[in-house]
Each structure stands twice: as C-alpha cells, then as structure tokens.
C-alpha cells in the first residue's frame, strides 16, 4: 500500500465545496461562508470524525481504507469516474468489474433525501446497507453506530455481531422464515452474478459455518427473492408499526431501495409522522429526568 497522494485532500475540499447542502439533505439557514458542505456535514454523511476528515484534507492522515474512500465518494455524490479518481488519489485500486459495487448514484441519494417523510435504505447486491435517510434512522436506529463491514441484512438476521444486536424486532406478514429465505435466495443469485467477489464469498462462507439456520436455507432456499412485504416493526418509543415494505430495484446500479410506508389516515402513518418530528427519540412530557 502506498501513501495517499497529495491530491486526495484537495479533491475532498473541491468536491465538498461543490455539493449543495440541500442536495445532501441539510437545511440552509443563515449565512454560510462557503456554498458547499461544511466539514462537519461531510463527516456526518460519511460516518467519520470531523478531526479525521480534517487530517485527510490537510494531508496529515494517509492511507485511508477502501471503506473510508467508498464512504466519502458516496457522501460527495461522485460519478463513477470521479469515484475512481478519488480511489487512485488515495493509493487504492478502484473497484473492479465483476465485483459488487457500493456506488450510489447522486440521483438516488437526492431521491432518498427529498422523500424525507419515507424511511428509505439503499442496499447493494449482497444486502449491505450503504445509504439511508434520516427517517430510516428514526425507524430502525442509526446505522452509523454499526461498523461499516457489518451493516448487512444477512448478518443482522443470521449473525451474532453488532448488526444482529442493533436490529429492532420485526415480524413479516409472510412469515419470518419466508423473509429470511428470500434474503438467502438473493445472496445465491448474487453469487451467480459475482462469483469472484471476495466480500460476498466471505459473507456466505462465514454464515454457512456460523449459522445452522443460514446453512439450512442455503441448501434448500428457492429463487423467491425479497421484493415486497408487510412488516410489523417494534419501535422503542412509538410501539408497533404495521408498514408496507417495498423493494425497488435500481436499473444499471444493482441496488435495492427499501421503503416503508403507511396509509395516510392510519394510526401507523401518525406514528411515522411522530418519528419524523422527533427523529425517533423519546419525547418527555414531564420534567427532565422523569420516565
């Protein structure tokens, strides 16, 4: 591995200044010294510390990991060509053809931001969560607290690490086993399209060895992929929400967009609105410190 080239920090600053805060989901209030994102805003989007981002921009931190470069490329809403330039400036090889891409097109990011009343999460072909909006965080908890390599739905369902611990209780109307089987079927399908992808192969191998349930479904699961469902999510603040869960495919990007909605006049829609207002945090009606 070689050290990050001097252009890496300059690219970060240039592209940070270029990105409109509105397109990144931030409200513009008062005066801003620069037209683009503030450093703390980019750090938030990329799930990095402000100090680390500052050191990257100033060239005092070198050798950023591929995960960090990928997170910054997504947060900056770079094109594929710009993403590859950022990788090379960091001394990394850009993602190669035949591997699962974590790239989220800028238009998809703007869509998730502007549909701010709907929880939306964007997943790659191996069900790794790579982008989400604030309503997703309010409904499911903040994915940023989970290490990036573990933000994977299969790990949440079958693993024993941070993703599993953070996953809120969910019941599928189709049955929990049918839901789990559909995720396994998606991974089997992904493996036929990306047979040499190291991350996918490692994920499947680890789950087959560490989860009897996954191993059973891997041997028996049909091709019924996960596309739509009705799910009950048990939220720690608003209780149970019965929501329509739809999975939209992004042509040309091999991404899943997962959305949760409720009928406009239903009690569940009211609970979603409460989550939007509170960000999913507790609302205390008594003096501070009371339960």
């Amino acid at each position: 591995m070689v050290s990050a080239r001097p252009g890496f920090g300059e690219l970060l600053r240039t592209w940070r200044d270029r990105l409109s805060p509105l397109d990144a989901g931030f409200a513009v209030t008062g005066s801003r010294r620069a037209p683009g994102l503030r450093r703390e805003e980019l750090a938030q989007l990329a799930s990095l510390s402000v100090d680390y981002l500052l050191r990257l921009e100033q060239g005092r931190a070198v050798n950023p990991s591929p995960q960090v470069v990928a997170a910054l490329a997504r947060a900056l809403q770079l094109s594929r060509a710009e993403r590859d330039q950022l990788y090379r400036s960091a001394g990394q090889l850009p993602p190669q053809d035949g591997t699962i891409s974590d790239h989220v097109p800028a238009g998809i990011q703007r869509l998730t931001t502007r549909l701010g009343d709907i929880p939306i999460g964007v997943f790659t072909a191996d069900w790794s969560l790579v982008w989400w909006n604030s309503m997703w965080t309010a409904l499911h908890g903040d994915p940023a607290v989970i290490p990036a390599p573990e933000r994977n739905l299969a790990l949440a369902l079958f693993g024993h690490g941070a993703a599993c611990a953070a996953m809120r209780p969910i019941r599928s109307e189709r049955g929990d086993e049918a839901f789990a089987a559909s995720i396994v079927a998606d991974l089997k399908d992904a493996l036929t399209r990306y047979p040499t992808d190291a991350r996918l192969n490692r994920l499947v191998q680890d789950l087959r060895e560490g989860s009897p349930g996954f191993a059973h479904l891997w041997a028996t699961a049909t091709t019924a992929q996960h596309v739509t469902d009705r799910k009950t999510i048990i939220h720690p603040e608003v209780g149970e929400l019965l929501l329509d869960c739809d999975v939209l495919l992004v042509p040309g990007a091999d991404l899943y967009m997962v959305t949760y909605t409720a009928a406009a006049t239903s009690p569940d829609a009211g609970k979603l609105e409460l989550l939007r207002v509170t960000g999913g945090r507790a609302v205390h009606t008594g003096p501070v410190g009371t339960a």
Side-chain angles (χ1 to χ4, degrees), residues 167-183:
M167 187 174 185
R168 289 174 176 168
I170 299 178
R171 297 194 303 270
S172 168
E173 219 173 55
R174 295 190 298 142
D176 293 339
E177 184 167 344
F179 167 55
S182 68
I183 299 303

Side-chain angles (χ1 to χ4, degrees), residues 105 108 122 248-257:
I108 299 300
V122 181
L248 312 176
L249 303 180
V250 182
D254 209 0
L255 297 171
Y256 301 108
M257 281 184 62

Side-chain angles (χ1 to χ4, degrees), residues 18 69-84 86-87 95 99-109 122-125 128 130-131 199 250-256:
R18 180 186 70 178
V69 179
L72 286 167
R74 287 192 298 268
L76 290 165
Q77 300 185 13
L78 303 184
S79 67
R80 286 181 181 270
E82 291 168 339
R83 177 204 66 181
D84 291 352
L86 189 66
Y87 269 91
T99 61
I100 292 175
S101 175
D102 291 346
H103 180 68
V104 182
I108 299 300
Q109 295 187 39
V122 181
F123 294 80
T124 60
S128 292
V130 289
W131 197 255
R199 186 177 74 188
V250 182
D254 209 0
L255 297 171
Y256 301 108

